[in-house]
Amino acid sequence: KILLIEDNKELAQIVKRQLAPLHINVDIAYTGEEGIRLAKTAYYEVILTDLLLDIALSGLDVIRLIRKFDRHIPIIVVSALQDLETKMSAFTAGVDDYILKPFHIDELAVRIRRHAQRANRPFVTQLAYRGLTYDVDKKCVGYKDQKIFLKNKEAALFEYMINHTERPLSRDELITSVWHLNQDPNSNIVDVAVKKLRQKIDKQLGVSYIKTL
């Protein structure tokens, strides 16, 4: 899982959507302050950040603050700024790599994996939660000697859930992060999908993992 700090919401969602098939899960922070909060409270293999963020905290500010509490996590700047002075300032602040916008998603993915491997923060393809296991590549949920294979959207929803078990997930967040759609208060797409997932996992396994608050 990586953290992307990017104030351009449309671009952030595009990057998240294009990295998903490559098994790189992305959390998004649209402000520097939110990026700092997430970097402190969650585990990430790599952090990506733009330099031109909000007025309160610039990208360079974010990098310097992260380096105060985490000296080892790889940080990659993703920016349209290509002058030498800006690049030198970023590396001086503590970044590990600098990639220019626009970029090819395959190149970004290679750089992410390379830095994660160098930092001994390998991407996890086997997830676990309270006796439940999930194979990201095979889209397979395991419990004791039982296995349940999920379809594409079921797998995306379940993977997002198991990666965020530390807090409740709202319908709006799931619509944005899993379906990559704008929030719609009249849509029941999340309720239907969660119900099907609960029937497929909880009822077949005989245990309750998915709860609605």
Side-chain angles (χ1 to χ4, degrees):
K1 184 166 63 173
I2 71 169
L3 172 62
L4 171 60
I5 308 173
E6 170 62 67
D7 63 343
N8 184 323
K9 295 184 178 181
E10 182 178 0
L11 176 60
Q13 289 296 331
I14 290 174
V15 171
K16 179 183 178 76
R17 185 167 60 248
Q18 291 183 342
L19 287 176
L22 303 176
H23 304 299
I24 299 178
N25 189 42
V26 181
D27 280 354
I28 298 173
Y30 295 119
T31 67
E33 291 182 347
E34 178 69 2
I36 294 295
R37 185 188 70 79
L38 289 174
K40 284 183 176 180
T41 58
Y43 176 85
Y44 296 103
E45 284 85 4
V46 175
I47 293 176
L48 308 181
T49 183
D50 190 10
L51 292 180
L52 300 176
L53 298 173
D54 50 280
I55 297 175
L57 285 176
S58 69
L60 288 176
D61 292 331
V62 169
I63 294 162
R64 294 187 185 104
L65 288 170
I66 290 174
R67 282 292 176 243
K68 287 184 177 181
F69 60 84
D70 193 332
R71 296 173 55 191
H72 304 292
I73 187 169
I75 300 176
I76 302 174
V77 165
V78 183
S79 175
L81 301 176
Q82 53 185 315
D83 61 283
L84 180 60
E85 183 178 354
T86 298
K87 291 182 180 179
M88 292 299 293
S89 296
F91 282 108
T92 301
V95 305
D96 299 276
D97 202 352
Y98 197 112
I99 185 168
L100 292 174
K101 297 176 181 177
F103 51 84
H104 196 285
I105 199 67
D106 288 337
E107 179 186 358
L108 179 62
V110 167
R111 294 195 188 207
I112 290 170
R113 293 188 183 279
R114 180 184 177 191
H115 285 291
Q117 290 167 358
R118 282 185 171 182
N120 292 320
R121 301 168 83 104
F123 283 92
V124 177
T125 57
Q126 297 283 339
L127 304 173
Y129 176 68
R130 289 172 49 197
L132 200 71
T133 61
Y134 181 62
D135 187 312
V136 175
D137 291 331
K138 295 180 180 179
K139 299 181 176 65
C140 178
V141 179
Y143 180 75
K144 296 182 179 179
D145 59 345
Q146 301 180 70
K147 290 185 178 181
I148 298 174
F149 290 90
L150 304 179
K151 297 180 180 178
N152 289 337
K153 189 56 67 177
E154 293 173 340
L157 175 59
F158 185 76
E159 183 177 344
Y160 192 85
M161 287 179 165
I162 200 171
N163 271 311
H164 297 83
T165 56
E166 74 281 358
R167 58 182 173 83
L169 302 174
S170 69
R171 290 176 176 82
D172 289 343
E173 179 180 351
L174 292 174
I175 287 175
T176 302
S177 300
V178 179
W179 279 267
H180 311 294
L181 300 173
N182 294 325
Q183 298 173 4
D184 181 359
N186 297 317
S187 175
N188 68 340
I189 187 173
V190 173
D191 301 85
V192 172
V194 169
K195 182 179 180 181
K196 289 182 178 179
L197 198 59
R198 183 182 286 118
Q199 290 174 339
K200 196 165 190 177
I201 296 176
D202 287 4
K203 288 191 175 181
Q204 288 190 42
L205 298 181
V207 290
S208 179
Y209 282 101
I210 303 172
K211 301 182 183 297
T212 303
L213 303 179

